[in-house]
Amino acid sequence: MLHRLVGDLMTTAVVSVRRDMNFKDIAQHLADHDITAVPVVDDQDRPVGVVSEADLLRKQESQVDPGGHLAAAHLLPAERAKAHALTAEGLMTSPAVTARPQWSAVEAARAMARHHVKRLPVVDDAGRLVGIVSRGDLLRVFLRRDLSIREEITTDVLTRTLGLEPGAVTVQVADGRVTLSGTVPQESLIPIAVRLSESVDGVVDVANHLRPDNDTPASTPRR
């Protein structure tokens, strides 16, 4: 079973900025490259933080409503500091939460959820920036064709990994939803087959209709 790793999914043409880049140049970078955030790197190209549109908007949020309809925003000290920052050094959220190229999509997704971020700078063994992976990049695994998913489950999961006879289990895939039906030699293989099928890239759900081969359905009585 071959899983697509962060190194396969990440964007390698990464736009980055230095600590001393000013507010307007950062905003221009985001607009020019049609991105919503940018890593901040040191002189060795190691990520030290990330500046996002939300960080830049702290300045707008802190200002007095021109129409006088809204009360002054209540900002935490860290937010207030960002609102008055003029360079990436003060604007960025740090430290940067990073990923490695050899991470699985699952590892990257869990890191994003744990740290409440939408993207992860990707670094090599020396900590240098080599790419960036976003939520959208991770979702690309779900664009696999149903036929490719079916072939991987049938060949890699059921035959090669579990050693089942070809044709013993029927695999149907529709819009990433897998249905397993048929018989397996031992009941203990059923949860394993389901779990391995769920781990295949692009699978959305697995419906289990497997049974051990000694569990023969009762025949319909003749009339």
Side-chain angles (χ1 to χ4, degrees), residues 197-214:
S197 297
E198 288 173 338
S199 71
V200 169
D201 285 350
V203 170
V204 176
D205 181 57
V206 175
N208 172 32
H209 299 294
L210 297 174
R211 65 180 190 276
D213 60 8
N214 59 356

Side-chain angles (χ1 to χ4, degrees), residues 3-20:
H3 296 290
R4 300 181 74 182
L5 304 178
V6 165
D8 304 317
L9 299 168
M10 69 184 186
T11 299
T12 55
V14 192
V15 178
S16 62
V17 301
R18 301 290 182 178
R19 297 174 191 257
D20 60 353

Side-chain angles (χ1 to χ4, degrees), residues 1 56 65 76 98 100 119 170 179 199 204:
M1 294 173 61
L56 298 180
D65 176 26
L76 297 173
T98 61
R100 293 297 185 91
R119 65 200 62 77
T170 299
T179 301
S199 71
V204 176

